[in-house]
Amino acid sequence: KKGAFGSKKFDVVFDVPSKYGLWDAMGWLKRNGVFVNTLQYEKMDIAGLGWFVALLTGKKFKTVWCESKQADLEVVAMWIEEGTLRFDIESTYKISDFDQAWQKF
């Protein structure tokens, strides 16, 4: 959404549901910021055009393919407990309110 975060800029935007595209996130990123999603973004990553986008905009995009591993989750839990990994969470929903949450996205 345009202006979803006002004038606030981020080093990293992690779009877990992959609702937004790189072009949507451009305004949310600081220079050298990174937009991360969980789907291939318009096949640019495979096409090898990511370097070109970064060159033109100073901003990058990455795709994350995840597989949960116990050791990795323990490291993330440690970062959260230490306060070195922080989150800006816009909203949360109960699983029973899935339809309402989906409408927001």
Side-chain angles (χ1 to χ4, degrees):
K1 295 178 189 174
K2 194 168 193 166
F5 301 105
S7 60
K8 194 169 183 179
K9 303 281 185 181
F10 301 91
D11 296 310
V12 177
V13 172
F14 187 17
D15 178 19
V16 176
S18 294
K19 173 162 173 66
Y20 301 102
L22 175 64
W23 306 119
D24 297 318
M26 285 292 185
W28 306 331
L29 294 171
K30 295 179 182 177
R31 179 115 178 112
N32 296 318
V34 180
F35 174 71
V36 181
N37 72 6
T38 55
L39 296 175
Q40 283 180 323
Y41 177 68
E42 296 179 7
K43 308 225 184 281
M44 290 179 70
D45 211 10
I46 288 178
L49 298 177
W51 66 270
F52 187 67
V53 172
L55 180 68
L56 290 178
T57 66
K59 299 170 185 178
K60 302 172 189 158
F61 75 93
K62 299 290 181 184
T63 299
V64 176
W65 298 85
C66 297
E67 177 183 328
S68 296
K69 296 181 181 176
Q70 179 81 25
D72 294 341
L73 295 173
E74 289 171 357
V75 169
V76 171
M78 180 184 66
W79 290 341
I80 293 169
E81 290 169 3
E82 292 173 347
T84 56
L85 180 62
R86 297 173 301 167
F87 306 91
D88 286 328
I89 299 174
E90 179 186 353
S91 55
T92 61
Y93 294 87
K94 294 179 182 178
I95 194 68
S96 60
D97 296 330
F98 176 81
D99 289 339
Q100 179 186 0
W102 187 256
Q103 291 303 316
K104 183 167 185 161
F105 291 107

